[in-house]
Amino acid sequence: MTQKIADEMDRRILKELLADARITNNELAERVGLSASPCLRRLRRLEENGVIRGYTALVDPAIEGWTMTAIATVRLSRQHEDEIVMFEEAIRGWDEVLECHLVTGSRDYVLKVMSAGLEQYERFIKEKIARLKCVASIETSFVMNTIKERRI
């Protein structure tokens, strides 16, 4: 099996791409101390091996009118396959849900939800989550300030 990250040079390439994914190959090569061809070969290998899954733009949520972030925890009424599938399929279709994590403990899922404000969040809960028959309870905490946010 091919090693996904070969060495420290791969890590340096990834670090530079995390800082600026639009960097040119020549600039990337210069920053990590390689010539352009070996740098491009390493980059392609990292992409082919699935280390780099894609490239994206980080957009200010306020552009979409989203100014409020909530962390919602959800407990399902039962842990049956049909209810799990129902919940997860619904979540995948809702733009307000930025992240959904299946977790251990007293709750089943943790969601990161964005909305334009409290009224819109309330509408999201009432019209979407609470209408799912599989949902037993929802608890919400509102984010007052983000201290650290890191994408990898």
Side-chain angles (χ1 to χ4, degrees), residues 47-61:
E47 291 170 346
E48 289 166 6
N49 289 342
V51 174
I52 297 173
R53 298 187 315 202
Y55 300 89
T56 188
L58 298 176
V59 178
D60 183 353

Side-chain angles (χ1 to χ4, degrees), residues 58-139:
L58 298 176
V59 178
D60 183 353
I63 298 299
E64 293 289 325
W66 294 343
T67 57
M68 189 176 80
T69 305
I71 305 299
T73 58
V74 176
R75 188 169 50 80
L76 300 183
S77 54
R78 299 177 310 162
Q79 296 274 329
H80 290 210
E81 181 69 24
D82 60 329
E83 291 191 354
I84 292 169
V85 169
M86 176 195 305
F87 181 79
E88 291 180 1
E89 284 180 355
I91 290 295
R92 286 186 186 99
W94 296 335
D95 290 340
E96 300 93 337
V97 179
L98 301 184
E99 297 177 21
C100 176
H101 306 277
L102 177 64
V103 296
T104 61
S106 62
R107 297 293 169 175
D108 297 310
Y109 295 92
V110 175
L111 312 176
K112 180 178 180 182
V113 181
M114 295 214 58
S115 69
L118 191 54
E119 288 179 24
Q120 288 76 14
Y121 182 76
E122 180 182 10
R123 187 169 34 250
F124 168 74
I125 292 296
K126 287 180 178 178
E127 294 176 4
K128 293 184 178 178
I129 293 193
R131 287 191 179 172
L132 294 174
K133 302 276 188 239
C134 60
V135 172
S137 66
I138 309 156
E139 287 185 16

